């Protein structure tokens, strides 16, 4: 047992330096709390390998492609994080996004609805799907695996029905198409970086001042500087590259700027991070995932939390479906199908969300989504057939789940569980 | 005894279907004292505690709190009166930190946002009040705590709410020697702060080390409720195993007063 007897009348030591923080972090990693480490290392390794094997990989046009390719999966993964946090699974999220995209296509193109009404309708469909699945899991007590497997099969059929047994509906609305195909003005990208970094730094410092004023433990300024610096460098670099000219023929058409999906994903990330970390609802999600019985005894309505998690998941699937429709310029029976779901689950798990519940963040979806996007993109560039892609993707998912299981084992061995 | 009991049960009967688990049980808990509740397996200790905590409704009998008769119909009622139960499995979430666990289900908010600072402050104050100085950080996950520290967090969670009665279900059952001593010390401190503590235990050493009174259940009947200083180790063992010990205990199924 670690015993620190503080000389002053405090239950804990007031502040720890940067060195101590680093040591604590290393200790946590060794104890099995890997956090974002596997995803970050994986990303660095994959990028290095692909950069060496395929010169196109590092080009600005491909860098921009990564964002639009990974966007749909990342958004679905972000929703899946909520379900995984409870130790449940949603296998239907992929085809749920397909159903929502089909609704969007039918309403937008066939029925001629305005884009906002169609988007709203698609999102409502997502929420309704989540309500039904969540109700079946929480109130009837059917295992989520079975409920969502059934939904997975049924939704394939629903998509076919909506698309008249398989016709392809093209999307022609300029607003919807802009989501995955247009870019922001370069200056807007820079403005976003500046505002984002300043806001982050401001929030951190403000939080520290408030806590210091109350005599609570604060983060050392050096750690805040490192965090803010890392954010500034990473976002600044990304925006710089994305603002480079990537058109093959700049004289005819100019192609610069941050893809429009990027700010959309960032807003979703901020909203869900806020919900998970700062609200009572988010706290209760973690509690139910960690120990449902303890949560129930603490007076938390476990059923309500479960249903909400499935609603959030299916809602995010609908957003993912809209992005997918925009990127493909059309909706077909395969939208949200094939390996979209596995990619999304893989993204969440690779990012550090546990399949056993209780551990995960919205950010995990982005980190894992980046890994998945790099794998798909890199292998595509190297000209592998889809057979190889399937095998590799399956292996990556298995690897991520293996790392999760091993880190959990390690954690229980070192008494961290 | 000069002080009145803070919690008093009279004539409690409780059956599960055809099985009557509690027969006409009377039980009093006094502020500033540790009352040990002992009895063999199946004597009805857990059922009695669950009746007190409002988890099981009892079939007949009277429940007095601070001298007034009350009707407890659920855990929320018991908690709002200031009766907290720390179960054997502690009911902590491993993936949350100490502060988050202590405020679970009763989080403080500032507008829409959780008020982490106030919660951390209150948690620190409570732990300090219990003279707990063994945790490294309040923001440590509960999974990284030792058994004794977890027990401490669970107890601190129970006293955070200005509770008046704290019931501990075998708090030392899974602990080593040093940690047991630590937890027993904490139990004593709770009583010295004026709380009424009920300690369920199978360990006679623990019972005699910290309790002021002992209540012995025998096959669903209250065999005797006595002052710890008036009885010996072996008398209590007899009360637990046979329901009577000389003048003490059940005489022909009737309870004799100590």
């Amino acid at each position: 047992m670690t015993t620190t007897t503080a000389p002053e009348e405090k239950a804990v030591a007031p502040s720890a330096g940067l060195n101590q923080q680093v040591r604590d972090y290393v200790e946590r990693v060794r104890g099995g709390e890997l956090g974002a480490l596997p995803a970050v290392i994986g990303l660095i390794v994959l990028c290095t390998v692909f950069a060496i094997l395929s010169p196109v990989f590092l080009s600005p046009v491909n860098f921009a492609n990564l964002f639009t390719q990974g966007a749909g999966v990342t958004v679905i993964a972000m929703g899946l994080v909520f379900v995984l946090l409870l130790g449940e699974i949603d296998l239907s999220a992929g085809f749920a996004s397909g159903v929502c995209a089909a609704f969007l296509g039918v309403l937008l193109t066939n029925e001629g609805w305005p884009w906002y009404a169609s988007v709203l309708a698609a999102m409502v469909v997502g929420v309704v799907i989540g309500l039904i699945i969540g109700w079946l899991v929480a109130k009837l007590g059917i295992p989520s695996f079975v409920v969502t497997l059934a939904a997975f099969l049924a939704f394939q059929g629903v998509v076919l029905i909506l698309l008249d047994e398989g016709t392809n509906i093209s999307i022609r609305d300029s607003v919807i198409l802009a989501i995955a195909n247009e870019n922001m003005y370069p200056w807007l990208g820079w403005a976003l970086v500046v505002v984002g970094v300043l806001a982050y730094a401001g929030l951190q410092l403000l939080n520290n001042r408030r806590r210091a004023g109350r005599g609570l433990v604060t983060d050392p300024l050096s750690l805040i500087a490192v965090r803010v610096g890392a954010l500034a460098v990473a976002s600044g670099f990304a925006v710089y590259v994305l603002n480079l000219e990537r058109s093959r023929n700049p004289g005819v058409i100019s192609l610069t700027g941050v893809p429009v999906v990027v700010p959309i994903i960032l807003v979703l990330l901020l909203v869900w991070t806020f919900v998970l970390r700062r609200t009572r609802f988010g706290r209760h999600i973690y509690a139910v995932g960690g120990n449902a019985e303890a949560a129930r005894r603490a007076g938390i309505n476990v059923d309500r939390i479960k249903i909400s998690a499935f609603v959030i998941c299916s809602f995010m699937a609908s957003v993912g479906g809209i992005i997918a429709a925009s990127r493909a310029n059309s909706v077909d029976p395969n939208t949200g199908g094939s390996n979209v779901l596995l990619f999304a689950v893989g993204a969440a798990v690779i990012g550090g969300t546990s399949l056993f519940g209780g551990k995960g963040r919205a950010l995990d979806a982005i980190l894992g989504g980046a890994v998945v996007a790099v794998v798909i993109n890199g292998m595509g560039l190297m000209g592998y057939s889809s057979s190889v892609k399937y095998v590799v993707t399956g292996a990556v998912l298995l690897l991520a789940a293996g790392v999760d299981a091993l880190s959990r084992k390690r954690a229980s061995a070192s008494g961290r569980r | 005894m000069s002080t009145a009991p803070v919690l008093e049960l009279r004539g409690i009967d409780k059956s599960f279907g055809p099985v009557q688990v509690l027969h006409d049980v009377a039980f009093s808990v006094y502020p500033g004292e540790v009352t040990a509740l002992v009895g063999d397996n199946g004597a009805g200790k857990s059922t009695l505690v669950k009746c007190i905590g409002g988890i099981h409704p009892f079939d007949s009998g009277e429940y007095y709190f601070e001298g007034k008769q009350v009707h407890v119909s659920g855990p929320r009622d018991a908690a709002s009166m200031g009766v907290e139960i720390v179960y054997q499995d502690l009911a902590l979430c491993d993936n949350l930190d100490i502060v988050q666990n202590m405020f679970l289900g009763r989080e403080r908010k500032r507008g829409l946002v959780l008020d982490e600072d106030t919660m951390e402050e209150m948690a620190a104050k409570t732990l300090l009040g219990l003279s707990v100085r063994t945790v490294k950080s309040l923001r440590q996950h509960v999974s990284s705590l030792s058994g004794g520290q977890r027990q401490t967090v669970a107890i601190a969670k129970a006293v955070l709410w200005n509770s008046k009665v704290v019931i501990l279900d075998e708090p030392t059952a899974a602990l080593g020697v040093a940690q047991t001593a630590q937890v027993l010390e904490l139990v004593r401190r709770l009583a010295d702060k004026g709380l009424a503590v009920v300690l369920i235990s199978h360990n006679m050493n623990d019972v005699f080390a910290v309790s002021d009174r002992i209540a012995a259940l025998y096959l669903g009947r209250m065999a005797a409720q006595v002052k710890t200083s008036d009885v010996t180790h072996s008398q209590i063992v007899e009360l637990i195993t046979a329901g009577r010990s000389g003048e003490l205990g059940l005489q022909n199924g009737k309870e004799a007063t100590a």
Side-chain angles (χ1 to χ4, degrees), chain A residues 337-355:
Chain A
S338 70
N339 40 20
V340 167
L341 171 82
L342 282 185
F343 283 148
V345 174
V349 175
I350 292 167
T353 298
S354 173
L355 286 167

Side-chain angles (χ1 to χ4, degrees), chain B residues 20-38:
Chain B
Q20 191 165 0
V21 187
L22 297 176
H23 302 263
D24 192 26
V25 169
F27 184 53
S28 311
V29 183
Y30 296 86
E33 290 192 0
V34 178
T35 306
L37 182 59
V38 297

Side-chain angles (χ1 to χ4, degrees), chain B residues 1-227:
Chain B
M1 196 65 223
S2 55
T3 48
V6 57
L7 186 154
E8 193 177 2
L9 301 178
R10 288 182 203 155
I12 300 292
D13 286 319
K14 171 74 192 167
S15 305
F16 291 111
V19 185
Q20 191 165 0
V21 187
L22 297 176
H23 302 263
D24 192 26
V25 169
F27 184 53
S28 311
V29 183
Y30 296 86
E33 290 192 0
V34 178
T35 306
L37 182 59
V38 297
D40 219 335
N41 291 339
K45 303 185 297 285
S46 300
T47 308
L48 180 59
V49 164
K50 282 178 179 159
C51 287
I52 295 173
I55 291 172
H56 295 326
F58 40 78
D59 302 337
S60 63
E62 290 158 4
Y63 192 139
Y64 294 90
F65 192 79
E66 294 182 317
K68 283 188 285 266
Q69 187 166 3
V70 289
H71 184 72
V72 177
S73 54
R76 295 247 166 181
D77 289 358
S80 67
M81 290 190 315
V83 177
E84 292 279 339
I85 303 179
V86 180
Y87 292 99
Q88 211 172 342
D89 64 5
L90 302 184
L92 297 174
C93 290
D94 277 344
N95 60 334
L96 298 182
D97 66 33
I98 295 176
V99 180
Q100 292 171 342
N101 263 296
M102 283 174 70
F103 282 86
L104 190 61
R106 303 187 256 201
E107 292 86 357
R108 287 296 172 96
K109 287 203 296 184
R110 202 178 44 213
L112 194 68
V113 187
L114 291 171
D115 189 355
E116 299 283 354
D117 297 348
T118 304
M119 290 197 275
E120 195 168 327
E121 235 173 27
M122 285 173 71
K125 216 185 283 171
T126 304
L127 286 172
L128 197 65
L130 297 174
S131 309
V132 175
R133 288 200 180 76
T134 56
V135 289
K136 208 158 107 192
S137 158
L138 288 175
R139 289 300 178 184
Q140 202 174 352
H141 278 189
V142 163
S143 57
S144 65
L145 299 180
S146 69
Q149 288 174 323
R150 286 157 161 265
Q151 188 66 247
T152 306
V153 171
I155 294 173
K157 180 180 172 184
V159 301
L160 182 65
W161 305 98
N162 291 325
S163 39
K164 298 180 178 115
V165 179
V166 176
I167 302 172
L168 306 170
D169 191 357
E170 303 212 33
T172 60
L175 300 183
V177 176
Q179 296 189 341
T180 298
Q182 238 177 45
V183 168
L184 289 180
E185 224 175 273
L186 180 59
V187 169
R188 194 60 249 174
R189 268 201 298 274
L190 291 183
D192 293 344
K193 281 166 65 96
L195 274 83
V197 183
V198 177
L199 174 75
I200 300 182
S201 184
H202 274 300
N203 186 322
M204 286 306 120
N205 292 328
D206 293 0
V207 167
F208 276 87
V210 292
S211 71
D212 302 290
R213 276 165 202 276
I214 301 176
L217 278 172
Y218 176 71
L219 298 181
R221 292 172 202 277
M222 188 58 79
Q225 196 165 358
V226 294
K227 283 198 146 195

Side-chain angles (χ1 to χ4, degrees), chain A residues 92 95-96 99 146-162:
Chain A
S92 70
F95 274 112
V99 169
V146 178
V147 173
T148 59
L149 187 64
F152 170 83
L153 289 171
F155 289 167
Q156 296 188 42
V158 173
V159 173
L160 282 175
I161 295 169
L162 287 169

Side-chain angles (χ1 to χ4, degrees), chain A residues 112-408:
Chain A
W113 285 30
W115 68 268
Y116 46 87
S118 316
V119 165
L120 196 69
M123 288 174 170
V124 169
V125 169
V127 168
V128 170
I129 289 173
L131 274 174
I132 295 170
I133 295 176
W135 187 84
L136 290 171
V137 172
K139 296 293 184 188
L140 281 195
I142 311 173
S144 58
F145 179 82
V146 178
V147 173
T148 59
L149 187 64
F152 170 83
L153 289 171
F155 289 167
Q156 296 188 42
V158 173
V159 173
L160 282 175
I161 295 169
L162 287 169
L163 298 180
D164 286 333
E165 299 304 322
T167 51
N168 183 322
I169 299 181
S170 57
I171 306 271
R172 285 185 291 271
D173 185 275
S174 61
V175 177
I176 300 294
L177 289 178
I179 295 172
N181 297 303
E182 293 290 326
N183 302 302
M184 298 195 304
Y185 300 115
W187 63 266
L188 202 57
W190 284 117
L192 212 64
V193 171
V194 172
V195 171
V197 170
L198 285 182
Y200 181 68
L203 278 177
Q204 294 257 316
L205 290 174
L206 216 69
N207 190 37
N208 242 20
R209 255 220 354 234
R210 210 184 52 233
R211 290 177 61 89
R214 289 181 163 218
L216 296 168
V217 184
T218 55
D219 288 336
L221 276 179
S222 45
L223 184 68
I224 295 178
V226 169
R227 281 194 204 132
V228 172
L231 179 71
V233 169
S235 59
F237 176 76
V239 168
Y240 168 74
V241 174
L242 289 172
N243 280 348
L244 293 174
E245 179 61 60
R246 42 180 198 268
S247 170
R248 280 166 201 267
N249 213 338
V252 180
I253 186 167
S254 172
L255 200 58
T256 59
V258 178
V260 172
V261 277
V262 174
I264 293 178
I265 292 181
L266 286 181
V267 167
L268 291 171
L269 171 71
L270 288 178
V271 167
W272 294 127
T273 302
F274 174 81
V275 166
L276 280 177
R277 291 177 53 114
R278 293 274 170 259
T279 67
R280 185 179 284 180
F281 172 72
R283 180 66 41 85
H284 291 178
I285 289 214
Y286 282 106
V288 171
N291 187 342
E293 175 60 20
R296 193 186 62 76
R297 281 198 217 148
I300 296 170
N301 187 339
V302 175
D303 288 353
R304 219 199 60 196
I305 297 284
K306 273 191 185 168
I307 294 174
S308 332
F310 279 99
V311 168
I312 290 171
C313 182
S314 296
F315 167 76
M316 290 298 280
S318 75
V319 178
I322 294 166
I323 293 175
S326 164
R327 187 176 144 68
N329 292 356
S330 68
V331 181
D332 61 54
N334 219 14
T335 304
S338 70
N339 40 20
V340 167
L341 171 82
L342 282 185
F343 283 148
V345 174
V349 175
I350 292 167
T353 298
S354 173
L355 286 167
F356 303 98
K359 205 181 88 188
R361 298 170 301 174
L363 181 64
D364 292 348
I366 305 238
L367 291 170
V371 173
V372 169
V374 166
V375 170
I376 306 171
N377 174 287
M379 289 201 312
L381 287 180
M382 288 165 61
Y384 283 119
S385 63
S386 55
S387 53
V388 179
K389 282 196 215 167
Y390 277 122
V391 173
V392 171
T393 312
V396 169
L397 176 59
L398 201 59
L399 187 73
V403 169
D404 178 29
L406 280 178
S407 74
R408 187 182 153 89

